[in-house]
Amino acid sequence: MPDTPASPTPPNPVADWPRPLAFVLSGGGAFGSVQIGMIRALLERDVRPDLIVGTSAGALHGAVLADRPDDCVDALSQLWSRADRQSVFGGRINSISSMVRNRTLSDGRRLGALIDASLRATEFGQLGTPFAAVATDAVTGEPELLCDGALRPALLASAAVPGLLPAVEIDGRRYVDGGVSANVPIRQAIAFGAASVISLDATPSVVATTAPRSFSGGLLHSASLMLRNQRSHAVDEIAHRYRIGVLPSPTPSDMGSFNFTRTAELLESSYALTIDVLDAWSHDAALGDQDPTQRS
């Protein structure tokens, strides 16, 4: 029997977008596994960034993509397959000693080891794609693009959640988690030189419709609302001037940002959802819709 011809590769849905094209990767803790599925789908459709900007967990993912684009999905999948609270933040003894020394629950050594294991490059200048990590100035509260020098301290600074991980000093300035000021750093990507953006936002696309009754649930709900509003403002302020594609996240609204038990599920569901979105973008572009992305 003759071989069945291979299905043609679907067209790149953003081939005509203004360049440079930036991937913007949000923070989100354990939500971050959805970005691996998003990246996998984008690369399969030959959608590749000219620039990468990331916050917190998204900064690590962005650095790995910039460093090793050909095997970044495998590298990140392996990282997340081993990720849990202890592997990222350390155990109880680590927390007690860190509280004494740093007044934080973790000293950052475990996260630093994950960074070292995931990257081949050690400096921004060694990356194949221009990349910036977003951190927050601990004094002014303003977001800062970190894009030169050593990668490890910049990535630690971008993920330094106050109270959880210690602030990081770089060139005499102290930085905390970029999510405090720019969890979805679209404006920072524009400042970095992007003419169009694909946003890989790991936080839940849908917020719970009822107020939680528990204390921890209330904190999670409040944080979700804050990040959702921050994301909306970031897009609304510049959407009329730049092409912005927003990939929706399948992250459940009731999932905690330190729940690492659903990684495989989120990776696969985000891949399937992103494929659907890219198909819709291609369809709309073929029909002549010049700006289909804001509906996603």
Side-chain angles (χ1 to χ4, degrees):
M1 292 180 62
D3 293 337
T4 302
S7 300
T9 301
N12 179 340
V14 301
D16 63 344
W17 286 23
R19 312 299 286 213
L21 168 68
F23 282 7
V24 169
L25 296 96
S26 77
F31 303 155
S33 57
V34 302
Q35 292 174 341
I36 306 170
M38 293 174 179
I39 292 171
R40 176 187 164 199
L42 288 164
L43 296 183
E44 283 186 6
R45 292 296 174 88
D46 200 31
V47 179
R48 297 178 182 272
D50 305 305
L51 310 168
I52 304 170
V53 179
T55 290
S56 200
L60 174 56
H61 299 161
V64 174
L65 174 59
D67 181 38
R68 44 196 303 184
D70 294 334
D71 71 341
C72 67
V73 172
D74 288 340
L76 290 173
S77 296
Q78 291 177 17
L79 184 158
W80 276 91
S81 70
R82 303 188 302 268
D84 56 28
R85 291 189 188 186
Q86 183 162 338
S87 67
V88 176
F89 303 114
R92 184 175 181 182
I93 294 177
N94 177 283
S95 297
I96 294 172
S97 62
S98 183
M99 283 293 291
V100 173
R101 293 195 308 270
N102 307 308
R103 299 180 182 178
T104 59
L105 293 175
S106 174
D107 59 15
R109 286 184 295 178
R110 294 291 183 90
L111 180 57
L114 287 176
I115 292 170
D116 293 341
S118 302
L119 292 172
R120 295 167 179 159
T122 58
E123 304 280 333
F124 279 90
Q126 297 170 341
L127 299 173
T129 302
F131 164 72
V134 176
T136 302
D137 187 298
V139 176
T140 67
E142 293 297 317
E144 183 79 16
L145 283 169
L146 306 177
C147 54
D148 57 26
L151 281 163
R152 191 181 200 262
L155 296 176
L156 285 172
S158 184
V161 178
L164 179 60
L165 291 161
V168 177
E169 184 170 323
I170 300 175
D171 295 333
R173 298 172 64 184
R174 289 172 63 80
Y175 295 99
V176 296
D177 191 284
V180 173
S181 57
N183 193 57
V184 187
I186 293 175
R187 282 177 290 182
Q188 288 68 36
I190 299 300
F192 196 47
S196 55
V197 167
I198 296 179
S199 171
L200 290 72
D201 187 358
T203 56
S205 297
V206 179
V207 176
T209 56
T210 58
R213 295 179 180 274
S214 68
F215 176 74
S216 60
L219 289 178
L220 174 62
H221 184 65
S222 298
S224 296
L225 290 174
M226 179 187 70
L227 294 177
R228 184 188 186 192
N229 290 336
Q230 189 188 99
R231 174 183 61 203
S232 296
H233 293 156
V235 173
D236 292 346
E237 288 181 4
I238 57 176
H240 63 289
R241 290 183 287 139
Y242 297 92
R243 181 72 68 89
I244 301 173
V246 180
L247 298 179
S249 168
T251 306
S253 61
D254 60 349
M255 176 180 161
S257 58
F258 298 107
N259 179 357
F260 291 91
T261 64
R262 304 178 70 171
T263 292
E265 170 196 343
L266 292 178
L267 194 156
E268 291 303 321
S269 59
S270 65
Y271 168 78
L273 182 58
T274 301
I275 288 293
D276 288 344
V277 170
L278 295 178
D279 284 344
W281 289 1
S282 294
H283 176 73
D284 289 344
L287 292 177
D289 189 338
Q290 295 301 307
D291 190 17
T293 58
Q294 293 305 311
R295 293 198 299 270
S296 300

